[in-house]
Amino acid sequence: MLHTFLECRLRSLLFTSLILLITACGRGESNVVQGNRDGVLHYGNGAEPQGLDPHVVTGVPENHIIRALFEGLAVKNPQTVEPEPGVAERWEFSDGGRVITFFLNPDAKWSNGEQVTASDYVWSWNRALHPGTGNEYSYMLFPVVNAEAYLKGEITDFNEVGVKAIDDTTLEVTLNAPTPYFVQLMDHYSTFAVHPETLMQFGEMTDRYTPWTRVGNIVSNGAFTLSEWSLNRRIVVEKSEHYWDRDKVSLNSVIFYPTENVVSEERMFRVEQLHYTQVVPLDKIPAYRSMPDTPYVQAPYLGTYYYLINTKRPPVDDARVRKALSMAVDRETLVRTVLQETAVPAYSITPPDTLGYFPPKLFDYDPEQARKLLAEAGYPNGDGWPGLEILYNTQEAHRKIAVAIQQMWKKELNIDVTLSNQEWKVYLDSVTQIDFQIARRGWIGDYVDANNFLDLFITDGGNNNTHYSDPVYDDLILYRAPKAETREARYELFAEAETRLMEEMPIIPIYTYTSKHLIHPSVEGLYSNLMDSLNLKYVQLVPGRQLQGSTQ
Amino acid sequence: MLRFMLIRILQALPVIFVVITATFFLVRSAPGGPFDQEKVVIPEVKKALEAQYKLDLPLHEQYFAYLSDLAQGDLGPSFKYPGRSVNEILFSGLPVTAELGLYALLIALCIGVSAGVFASLRPNTAQDYVPMSLAMIGICMPSFLLGPLLVLVFGIWLDWLPITGWGDIPGDKILPSITLGSAYAAYIARLSRAGMLEILSQDYIRTARAKGLPEWQVVTRHALRGGLIPVIAFLGPAFAGLLAGSFVVETIFQIPGLGRFYVQAAFNRDYTMILGTTVFLSTLIVFFNLVSDITAAWLNPRLRAQFKGGSQ
């Protein structure tokens, strides 16, 4: 009897499982095949965006969506990253480069059909700079006359800020000094215009928490409009009917997925649920590289991975020790082994070829010289070494690099170094307080210009974090470079500053980042560039192309 | 019974209050704040942000302001997701997490109870050892291993089931539910085996057998009710645990549930979100414990008799 009972249970269980499996079998068309046919790009976006208000958010996933929904006065050419017309069809410099006049395209429209006007920009920049808004990227507009004073509450009348609407299509911006990269900043979302009437409909100008960016409420001016926002599930944008350059837009819609787990994202790509991944897990890269017509795309990225040194704490308060440490790091080996050729060895803070600027290479991997410098500093063959600690935020990748460097220093300099990891926010606190001897750091450029890297180390700069202070360096970066008349002259001054920096070595540059993506062969027009900046309006999908090979 | 319930509810209130208070002060004592970033925030901007979230007030005022909002059911705005309230985020993720938890629990019950009862019928034989060893493997195998393994086999090699999503493609709920439910199935199997073994050695079971009842009727009609009391007692905390512990499964399968917010709130120092999720989940845990206590009491004739007699 018991047997019969159990058999019955077992049978029913098997039957249920079978039904479940059969109904699930044959998942049908993949997202990619369907998307190629319907013009829908399935895009792995890394994380759920904090929000879609250009003056409130700060992250990379937000950037991708906001730049699909909105367009700046100028946009980046996706191949060269040089500025090209966006909302402004052209711009002119006057007063030696201090005044820029943007001429807005009369066809530039909001998604409700209204014209984008110069006064929309004045209103929006007032919001972006208003102390009450709490815009963390407000400093992007600091080159504008009185912008910083307005944010800091030193002046309260926005009319004193150097931005004026001459008429509906003419915007005049007056800068503190000629700023060669200013037009580039017009493609940063913190400088985008928002639709004043829409915002005011849901709250005050400086409110951060109104629902104006929700589906049905938001009015934007980009190539796409928001059609669905399911929290932590997907965000869907559709081709805008009112976008001035809509004839160039090939995609009908883009679906952004919050692919937080990089391993899951790679699997989604493998089963063709995604056209594009935000990153690629390191251990999968060799397999993808070996595929015929590999979907793996790696390109230089405007970011540097480096170690900060507290120049006031022994034994690294001695520049000779700092140089010895830096020279004893075999970056080529580190990049080849630990990083599997996914980075470029760095010998300066500025990445090479930052809009034509190549930083001077002032040192190399030189263990002999490193030992000599260490001996001069009073630690011959590591004798008398008081110990040193490397701080990093808890993450396996940082630990691996720290372990490799720890071993290099032991082997080449015979010194003992300990490792210490901290949870992200605790680590940030330690770095801000400069409570470390050596700490890991990464810096990703906001715009393509060496200034964005070199102004980190001006005296008491918020991101200096090393106690490094050199009045000559400050003068070069803050006063002399902005006044340089040609690009070449400016770059020479940057090189001079970089030379001074590397002579004192308050940082140990380790590698330059690369961007790493998996891109389905059916996708065209997704160019690699230094900013990893895409312009989805140029993207096209070609049906019929399939992934070759497999990485299972 | 009513008095028992009332007393349990009254006991729960101070527990929740202590949880709120401890969480409030603990998260604020942790180094680093919600607006700390790798790129330093301009002091004036930070000040404005802190003012918008009342972080510029003295700590005790922030605490009382939070309690006052909480009393009105307002968990405050999220620090990490400007424009969204904690209530909104919780209620967008809760149905998904609850559904996932429910399916996982059903799977756990089906597999766990069947295996446990099956094993208990022939203790210390292969029929016992095989399911119990499997259960031990199930307990030991973490979901971050089982999930990807199931994905690899059923999603990628066999191409039978979707590997991510929730309610987007038919069949996408199967793998996450199994992944989350398996560890609990293993616990339930061991609990039901132990419970059944104890009951099957009781006199009244012997009496039932002596009366000539078929074995399956002895098991289903007499033994199961008593044998499953430990399982029932486990269900309350298990469901609360499934809700709170679905983070890994939600991350592996890209499920838009609550777990991801719960864990990331702590990393982001999203104070209101940490408090909101903690208050919410602790209330759920207290509630489910209460439900399972009441159910266990109802199933246990001795306790039931005590309630009928009006005593505890």
Side-chain angles (χ1 to χ4, degrees), chain A residues 9 24 27 131-132 136 208-209 214 229 231 233 258 260 264 273 423 425 440-441 444 446 463 552, chain B residues 33 36-40 48 52-53 83 88 114 156-157 159-161 164 166 168 252 254 264 269:
Chain A
R9 296 281 315 254
R27 279 184 285 121
E136 291 169 57
R208 291 168 64 89
Y209 317 116
R214 302 295 173 83
W229 186 356
L231 200 62
R233 196 186 282 266
E260 226 152 65
S264 301
Q273 282 188 28
E423 184 264 348
K425 293 275 183 176
R440 176 212 84 83
R441 189 79 145 103
I444 307 296
D446 294 319
N463 295 299
Q552 286 167 23
Chain B
D36 289 342
Q37 293 193 14
E38 196 155 26
K39 292 181 180 179
V40 77
Q52 293 214 17
Y53 287 101
E88 184 191 352
S114 313
I156 296 178
W157 288 347
D159 196 22
W160 284 357
L161 294 166
T164 54
W166 188 259
D168 298 326
I252 294 171
Q254 306 274 351
Q264 276 164 10
R269 301 286 190 279

Side-chain angles (χ1 to χ4, degrees), chain A residues 117-361:
Chain A
T117 62
S119 53
D120 291 339
Y121 274 91
V122 176
W123 191 90
S124 301
W125 286 13
N126 184 359
R127 178 174 191 257
L129 284 167
H130 196 284
T133 310
N135 175 10
E136 291 169 57
Y137 267 124
S138 49
Y139 62 85
M140 284 288 174
L141 288 169
F142 280 4
V144 178
V145 163
N146 279 333
E148 188 168 356
Y150 184 69
L151 177 97
K152 293 185 171 170
E154 291 160 12
I155 57 167
T156 50
D157 183 3
F158 190 73
N159 289 323
E160 291 178 44
V161 177
V163 53
K164 302 270 175 298
I166 307 294
D167 57 44
D168 270 0
T169 57
T170 315
L171 182 76
E172 188 185 270
V173 181
T174 310
L175 307 177
N176 293 312
T179 311
Y181 55 85
F182 187 77
V183 177
Q184 256 195 64
L185 302 180
M186 298 302 98
D187 192 35
H188 191 278
Y189 53 82
S190 61
T191 68
F192 286 179
V194 290
H195 188 247
E197 289 77 20
T198 304
L199 267 86
M200 295 306 285
Q201 199 183 326
F202 294 97
E204 295 300 312
M205 180 179 82
T206 56
D207 279 351
R208 291 168 64 89
Y209 317 116
T210 68
W212 80 270
T213 53
R214 302 295 173 83
V215 177
N217 300 346
I218 188 168
V219 172
S220 59
N221 69 331
F224 298 89
T225 55
L226 184 68
S227 67
E228 184 190 334
W229 186 356
S230 304
L231 200 62
N232 238 338
R233 196 186 282 266
R234 67 179 153 257
I235 286 183
V236 185
V237 299
E238 281 173 6
K239 184 176 171 176
S240 170
E241 291 300 308
H242 295 283
Y243 180 56
W244 65 274
D245 205 11
R246 58 191 168 278
D247 294 341
K248 269 201 192 138
V249 182
S250 159
L251 294 173
N252 289 323
S253 75
V254 183
I255 305 181
F256 296 90
Y257 296 89
T259 47
E260 226 152 65
N261 184 320
V262 295
V263 181
S264 301
E265 186 186 43
E266 186 272 330
R267 284 194 213 108
M268 287 171 80
F269 180 81
R270 226 188 305 173
V271 297
E272 296 197 319
Q273 282 188 28
L274 293 177
H275 280 105
Y276 177 93
T277 69
Q278 207 47 237
V279 282
V280 188
L282 202 61
D283 59 330
K284 296 283 179 193
I285 291 175
Y288 274 109
R289 272 190 179 135
S290 66
M291 283 168 72
D293 298 325
T294 179
Y296 176 70
V297 178
Q298 180 177 312
Y301 185 46
L302 191 71
T304 307
Y305 187 101
Y306 58 101
Y307 278 176
L308 290 164
I309 303 178
N310 182 348
T311 57
K312 283 198 173 164
R313 202 173 278 186
V316 282
D317 55 345
D318 186 330
R320 289 169 299 186
V321 175
R322 299 197 290 268
K323 279 183 176 173
L325 292 173
S326 187
M327 286 179 179
V329 176
D330 183 357
R331 293 161 178 82
E332 309 281 340
T333 305
L334 186 80
V335 164
R336 199 176 55 249
T337 54
V338 180
L339 299 165
Q340 298 185 24
E341 309 278 4
T342 59
V344 180
Y347 298 89
S348 55
I349 183 69
T350 316
D353 199 11
T354 302
L355 220 59
Y357 171 75
F358 287 87
K361 189 176 179 185

